Amino acid sequence: MGKGPSVNHLVISVRDLEASHRWYTEILGFEQCGEMTHTMKMRFYRGSEDSHHDLALAETGNPSAYGPPPEWSLIDMPPGINHVAIAYEDRETWLERLKAIKAKGVDFKIRGNHGMTHSAYITDPDGNGIEVLYNLPAEVWSGDVDAALNYFEFLPNDGDAAFEDPTDYQHFG
C-alpha cells in the first residue's frame, strides 16, 4: 500500500485557554511552541521538536454561551469526534505518564488493552475524550488488523492494578 493521507494536527475549541493549556502541558506533557497574536486566542503545542505543531487550542469567543461539558462515553456520544488518541514513545514512558496523570487527580474513564495498543481513556476540562496509549509491536497485530481492532480487554481503573501492563501480548493472524 502506498503512502496516503495522514492527520497532521488537531485544533480543539476550548472554554478556558489557560485551564486547557495547563491540562495539555501538565497532564499530557505537550510543549507550547507558539501562540496566535491576532484575531483570536489560540496556542500551538507539540510532542517533539520533529513537528511544527501537533495540537492547537482555540478559545471560543463566547464561553458563557455553552453549558457544562458533556459526560464522555466511548459508546453513546453525539455526532462529532469521540476521542483523540495521544501516543507515547514506548511502554515505560506511557506507564510513567499514566502515574503522573493519576497523581494529578485525573480519573481513568476506561483502562484496557486493544489488540494494537494499551490504553487509558480520560477527559480534558471541556469533556473531550482522550485516549492515552502506546502502540504494540506491529508483529502483534499486522497479521489481522481487523481482529486486533475488535479485541478489547477491560482492566481496572484504580489502584495499583490500573498500572499493571503485562507484555504477553495476544497475537492476531
Side-chain angles (χ1 to χ4, degrees):
M1 183 172 172
K3 188 155 175 90
S6 65
V7 177
N8 181 271
H9 66 272
L10 173 71
V11 179
I12 301 174
S13 294
V14 300
R15 289 172 176 81
D16 181 336
L17 186 59
E18 292 304 322
S20 293
H21 166 81
R22 286 189 304 276
W23 197 88
Y24 280 88
T25 57
E26 295 174 14
I27 302 297
L28 294 181
F30 281 98
E31 166 196 52
Q32 181 182 339
C33 59
E35 184 167 7
M36 185 166 286
T37 57
H38 57 82
T39 68
M40 62 187 297
K41 291 173 118 181
M42 189 172 184
R43 293 188 186 154
F44 302 88
Y45 302 85
R46 62 186 176 191
S48 74
E49 291 182 3
D50 296 341
S51 173
H52 47 79
H53 75 287
D54 302 304
L55 171 74
L57 302 175
E59 188 171 81
T60 182
N62 188 8
S64 61
Y66 305 99
E71 182 63 33
W72 178 82
S73 167
L74 186 60
I75 297 170
D76 189 23
M77 291 294 290
I81 295 172
N82 181 280
H83 68 276
V84 176
I86 306 297
Y88 290 86
E89 181 178 7
D90 54 40
R91 179 178 179 271
E92 292 73 27
T93 304
W94 173 77
L95 283 168
E96 288 174 20
R97 180 56 55 182
L98 288 188
K99 290 175 185 170
I101 288 169
K102 273 291 195 183
K104 295 276 187 180
V106 176
D107 291 330
F108 295 165
K109 302 296 184 186
I110 300 172
R111 169 74 179 90
N113 295 340
H114 273 296
M116 63 285 166
T117 67
H118 285 187
S119 306
Y121 293 81
I122 59 179
T123 55
D124 76 2
D126 287 289
N128 295 303
I130 307 292
E131 179 183 3
V132 179
L133 65 85
Y134 78 95
N135 287 301
L136 301 184
E139 62 266 10
V140 169
W141 51 264
S142 61
D144 190 343
V145 174
D146 186 59
L149 288 166
N150 279 285
Y151 176 84
F152 195 87
E153 171 191 10
F154 285 94
L155 298 172
N157 290 339
D158 293 307
D160 291 342
F163 304 110
E164 291 177 9
D165 187 59
T167 57
D168 56 339
Y169 309 129
Q170 174 152 343
H171 286 68
F172 299 89

